[in-house]
Amino acid sequence: MNIPRKLSTAALSLILSLVVIVMAACGNSSPGGKVTLRYTLWIGADTPQIDLLKKMAQEYNTLHPTVNVTFDSIPFADYQSTVTLQLAGKNPPDAGWIVERTAPSWEKTGVLTDLGPTLHGDSAYNFGDFSTSALGLWTNGQTVYGIPFSNSPFIVMYNADLFKKAGTDTPDQLIAQGKWTWENLALAAKKIKDATGTYGFQNFDGALYTSNFWGTLVPVMRAYGGDAWSDTYQCGFTSAGSVAALQLIHDMIFKDKSAVPPGTQADFYSGGAGMMLGQLSRVNKLSSSHFTWSIAPLPSGPAGYHPVVGQAAMVVFKNSPHQAEALDFIKFLTTQQNVGRLAQYFPPARASVLGSDTLAKANPLVPSALMQSTVIDPIKNGKVLPAHPNLPAIELTLTPLLDKLWTPNADVPGVAASLCAGIDPLLKA
Amino acid sequence: MRSPAQRLTLRQKDALTGVLFITPQTLGFLLFVLGPVLAIVVFSFQSRNLLAQTADPAGLANYQTLLQHDALFPVVLRNSLIFTATLVPLNIVLALLLATLLTQPLRGMTFFRTLYFAPVLTSAVAWAIVWGFLLQGDQGINGFLAVLHIHGPNWLREPGWAMASVVVTRVLKTVGLNIVILMAAMQNLPRELDEAASVDGASRWQVFLRVRMPQLAPTLLVVVVLTVIGSFQVFDHILLLTNGGPANATTVLIYYIWFEAFRAFNIGYASALAVVLFVIILALTVIQWTIRRRFAYNER
């Protein structure tokens, strides 16, 4: 038996193990004074949006050769928890996106860097160009927690071929007649289902049942005079308008059988539904579709026309070791020129871009006039989705309660009352 | 001049070699298993919010909430027990039946063995996605049933059916492993005892129940222990098929722990739930090992 050889083998395996552990712990070091920023976002790695961002990052690298940027795509459903874990695990991203409804909770916990001192003092950047309404969720006095880069109204995307087959007016024809209402959307959906067998309507990204994205109910609730909750955090599900809106959606699913029901996987993009709620960033998915499509603004309701806007902002995380570089990079991404370039996917919050031809002509798939009515006008008049500092707990409560709405015999006013009973204490906490 | 290694006795060298060999594994266990387990126990006595990155002492508050104030906890516990109480017997009976059939000296058995074991090797995500497609409200299996003029339920969206669907699809995914373990045990059973019982006039059922089953008892108990532990740890399957819904009908303990920790960011409360789960699994395992000592006559 060769003892020294056995010993050396064992020692080698121990050393290798330690080396692996040490290397794993030191993975973020940047040789030669170079900085690599990690930027988190929720769009897929093979999308045109990320291609554009990578191109901008290359341009930034040309201007600042010591700074490289890597984009870390995290699925939207896991985004907040993944980034939170990275922050808690002392492996924070340097910069990234956050979505509007989670903004108050991020801000409350103090993990976002105040961008105000840098942005306010830079006249060339012209922070005053960002519309005040768009900054509402992201500022507190002079404190700036994020720069909204996407100010995207909800739209109705529709399959014109299915409307034609059903012999019913398309949303643009209904708009011309002044009849583009939720009630007529429901009628059109029923005609499509009855005539073609294809569902007439699908909620936002088909995400209402799978992840209970309650935000997809907000457009119809606001059109009927309700809301999920008010600006002063009063629960709104039990208002007459909200109950009427929830009843309309419930009837579409279970009475008319015209809306994609829970438990069914339909894909609007491959012709599985006549209409779907979406946003401008979804439109490029239709570029290779096999049917004629178009987009329309949200329908109006008994309470009038209420555009709903979803927002996302770029932020710098406070624990990032590269604060200055991260801040400078998101400033670069949100200059007037680059906001104009991003506008084809992400409707801007800069008034100068919003008021110019840049946005109207930004997306080659959407004609200027349509861009005006579906995106530019709603941005000016729209209201952002509700948000709250306690959102994680509120969503935890809403999820099972909303499930009770998606059954054929649901008592809609009763479920609405249970929604408010469940989230009221959290809204007021 | 002798090196330190040369000064050691043979016995000391052997001991040192052994220690060096187990050191990486021990370090890994301490760092990545024992450390986190102890941390969870400590966290369970804290009010710890992951998002806010705060940690304050909370005493027994998390356990009090769990036992007295959390209306969801009894529902989740009941769901976990229903899941285990239906999955384990179904899995074991099916595994026993199929293992008996697959050990018969018939043609084509290799094909069927592969067929039943294939789901074990299939990715859990792919398995759940395919079943999610098959168990749609008006397509998949229900589309087939509609051809036969049968109106199938909305499998994953009706509370009772959702739990049943999750259990059955989980059994189909995991039964192959138990089949293999039981087949291995069956193939090692001496045939002489079966033949002696048959000569004495025992029927095939009596041979199975009175002769083969007692010999299989030790293996069967291991399979039961593993299946029970596995059933309490099911997570990916539920996340992908039902998201714990509808209306928490399929929210089991592990899913609830994940939701509290990584959706609501209440690490303290999630840790208390994890400790409770640990105690439940430990208690069930001790009970099963006690039974094993009593019934498995040839085990020490």
Side-chain angles (χ1 to χ4, degrees), chain B:
Chain B
M1 188 80 182
R2 291 194 305 168
S3 70
Q6 287 170 320
R7 281 200 298 271
L8 295 173
T9 65
L10 196 61
R11 193 182 183 83
Q12 284 170 326
K13 281 176 184 170
D14 265 349
L16 182 61
T17 306
V19 167
L20 282 173
F21 267 118
I22 63 164
T23 300
Q25 161 69 12
T26 309
L27 274 177
F29 175 78
L30 290 174
L31 272 174
F32 301 116
V33 180
L34 195 62
V37 166
L38 292 176
I40 281 170
V41 176
V42 173
F43 290 174
S44 74
F45 295 104
Q46 292 177 336
S47 171
R48 180 178 275 266
N49 186 298
L50 193 64
L51 187 63
Q53 296 181 34
T54 55
D56 302 310
L60 293 169
N62 288 324
Y63 292 96
Q64 275 174 340
T65 304
L66 192 149
L67 295 172
Q68 294 168 5
H69 307 299
D70 184 356
L72 190 53
F73 179 67
V75 176
V76 171
L77 197 58
R78 193 194 65 195
N79 288 344
S80 297
L81 293 174
I82 290 174
F83 184 82
T84 301
T86 48
L87 181 134
V88 175
L90 195 61
N91 195 325
I92 301 298
V93 170
L94 196 63
L96 208 52
L97 183 72
L98 290 170
T100 307
L101 289 174
L102 294 173
T103 44
Q104 301 302 310
L106 299 172
R107 287 184 67 185
M109 279 300 131
T110 310
F111 169 75
F112 286 104
R113 286 173 194 167
T114 311
L115 189 72
Y116 289 118
F117 194 69
V120 178
L121 303 174
T122 309
S123 138
V125 175
W127 185 257
I129 288 172
V130 169
W131 276 106
F133 180 78
L134 290 172
L135 295 171
Q136 291 185 75
D138 59 357
Q139 292 165 45
I141 289 172
N142 280 353
F144 174 73
L145 291 176
V147 175
L148 305 172
H149 302 288
I150 298 170
H151 182 72
N154 198 345
W155 303 100
L156 299 175
R157 296 298 306 185
E158 292 177 27
W161 285 112
M163 180 57 96
S165 304
V166 169
V167 168
V168 170
T169 52
R170 182 71 183 174
V171 167
L172 294 176
K173 171 85 175 76
T174 54
V175 73
L177 193 61
N178 287 347
I179 291 174
V180 168
I181 297 171
L182 289 171
M183 272 175 57
M186 283 178 182
Q187 282 167 341
N188 284 328
L189 295 182
R191 309 298 295 182
E192 296 84 354
L193 292 176
D194 296 7
E195 286 160 13
S198 298
V199 169
D200 287 345
S203 66
R204 290 185 73 176
W205 172 244
Q206 283 173 320
V207 169
F208 177 76
L209 200 65
R210 309 268 178 181
V211 179
R212 293 175 74 80
M213 278 298 280
Q215 297 177 83
L216 278 176
T219 310
L220 207 53
L221 279 163
V222 169
V223 167
V224 170
V225 170
L226 292 177
T227 312
V228 167
I229 293 173
S231 73
F232 269 100
Q233 292 177 337
V234 65
F235 170 70
D236 48 0
H237 202 70
I238 298 227
L239 177 75
L240 292 163
L241 270 181
T242 62
N243 242 323
N248 289 324
T250 56
T251 301
V252 292
L253 261 172
I254 284 276
Y255 183 88
Y256 190 39
I257 291 168
W258 168 80
F259 210 114
E260 279 293 336
F262 303 119
R263 284 290 183 265
F265 304 117
N266 293 324
I267 290 289
Y269 190 60
S271 300
L273 288 166
V275 170
V276 168
L277 177 65
F278 173 75
V279 170
I280 290 172
I281 293 181
L282 185 68
L284 286 172
T285 310
V286 168
I287 290 168
Q288 287 168 92
W289 278 90
T290 310
I291 294 172
R292 176 192 171 98
R293 276 211 298 271
R294 177 172 295 184
F295 290 100
Y297 64 90
N298 58 347
E299 284 286 298
R300 287 174 190 274

Side-chain angles (χ1 to χ4, degrees), chain A residues 353-424:
Chain A
V353 183
L354 208 54
S356 70
D357 280 352
T358 314
L359 178 57
K361 294 174 183 168
N363 193 315
L365 294 170
V366 183
S368 299
L370 203 51
M371 189 69 111
Q372 185 72 37
S373 65
T374 56
V375 177
I376 299 171
D377 292 343
I379 289 174
K380 290 175 184 164
N381 312 317
K383 190 177 170 189
V384 179
L385 282 168
H388 194 278
N390 265 348
L391 196 76
I394 290 170
E395 290 193 326
L396 176 68
T397 307
L398 279 180
T399 301
L401 294 173
L402 271 171
D403 270 346
K404 293 180 179 169
L405 193 60
W406 312 128
T407 57
N409 302 315
D411 165 23
V412 175
V415 173
S418 73
L419 292 173
C420 277
I423 67 169
D424 246 340

Side-chain angles (χ1 to χ4, degrees), chain A residues 181-391:
Chain A
T181 61
W182 278 97
E183 202 177 330
N184 285 330
L185 176 148
L187 283 173
K190 186 170 184 333
K191 282 184 184 170
I192 289 170
K193 180 71 192 323
D194 291 348
T196 67
T198 303
Y199 289 108
F201 180 73
Q202 186 170 33
N203 58 67
F204 192 97
D205 279 353
L208 180 58
Y209 317 117
T210 49
S211 56
N212 269 306
F213 174 38
W214 50 271
T216 192
L217 297 168
V218 170
V220 62
M221 287 198 292
R222 285 186 180 165
Y224 276 74
D227 206 339
W229 56 83
S230 68
D231 296 340
T232 53
Y233 301 146
Q234 298 297 314
C235 182
F237 283 108
T238 47
S239 70
S242 290
V243 171
L246 295 175
Q247 188 69 58
L248 177 88
I249 298 292
H250 190 271
D251 287 349
M252 287 176 73
I253 299 167
F254 296 105
K255 199 168 149 193
D256 297 348
K257 300 187 187 303
S258 61
V260 178
T264 294
Q265 297 172 17
D267 182 26
F268 169 79
Y269 301 103
S270 55
M275 293 173 271
M276 189 178 87
L277 290 186
Q279 284 174 308
L280 185 66
S281 55
R282 272 72 173 172
V283 166
N284 66 305
K285 283 191 188 178
L286 289 162
S287 60
S288 57
S289 67
H290 60 274
F291 55 83
T292 312
W293 61 270
S294 188
I295 59 174
L298 287 174
S300 56
Y305 173 51
H306 290 273
V308 176
V309 177
Q311 274 193 337
M314 297 184 190
V315 299
V316 173
F317 294 99
K318 205 175 252 179
N319 290 341
S320 157
H322 311 301
Q323 293 282 308
E325 293 87 350
L327 209 161
D328 196 57
F329 179 62
I330 67 168
K331 261 178 76 181
F332 174 78
L333 290 181
T334 52
T335 58
Q336 185 180 342
Q337 187 195 354
N338 282 337
V339 163
R341 293 164 73 191
L342 288 168
Q344 59 182 306
Y345 307 115
F346 308 113
R350 273 189 180 271
S352 58
V353 183
L354 208 54
S356 70
D357 280 352
T358 314
L359 178 57
K361 294 174 183 168
N363 193 315
L365 294 170
V366 183
S368 299
L370 203 51
M371 189 69 111
Q372 185 72 37
S373 65
T374 56
V375 177
I376 299 171
D377 292 343
I379 289 174
K380 290 175 184 164
N381 312 317
K383 190 177 170 189
V384 179
L385 282 168
H388 194 278
N390 265 348
L391 196 76

